[in-house]
Amino acid sequence: RELSRKIQALRKKMGLNKNDLIELYLETNKEFQKILKIKETLIKERTKSEKIEFVEKFSKLEGKTESFKIKEKIGKIRIVRL
């Protein structure tokens, strides 16, 4: 739920409205990726993400990026507007 809130806050910073679809990229370690993949469908629904990609390191992509920390887990969120 915390991650969904952070994604929604970044969407708002980007000027996106509720109905705008996005591609979501999450940069974090393999351990946290496993946890997030279990919740992938829920994250997609809550954040209006057409696609979620989990990576250990972002390649050069367009979009807006922001770091996050949830408890002891850290990573980055990148949103690409569709």
Side-chain angles (χ1 to χ4, degrees), residues 1-59:
R1 193 164 65 186
E2 252 181 272
L3 182 61
S4 293
R5 277 192 239 129
K6 292 182 183 298
I7 294 165
Q8 295 295 44
L10 182 55
R11 286 176 58 95
K12 187 175 180 178
K13 280 184 187 178
M14 293 175 68
L16 300 175
N17 65 44
K18 287 172 117 178
N19 297 318
D20 290 330
L21 292 175
I22 62 168
E23 286 184 354
L24 176 63
Y25 299 87
L26 297 169
E27 178 187 288
T28 189
N29 64 37
K30 292 262 188 211
E31 177 188 334
F32 197 37
Q33 286 179 28
K34 287 179 187 177
I35 295 167
L36 294 173
K37 284 180 182 178
I38 293 168
K39 304 285 187 184
E40 184 173 356
T41 302
L42 181 62
I43 295 168
K44 284 173 88 171
E45 290 171 359
R46 284 188 173 176
T47 62
K48 295 292 279 186
S49 300
E50 192 167 282
K51 168 186 171 183
I52 298 180
E53 189 171 320
F54 300 94
V55 297
E56 287 190 68
K57 187 73 176 161
F58 286 141
S59 60

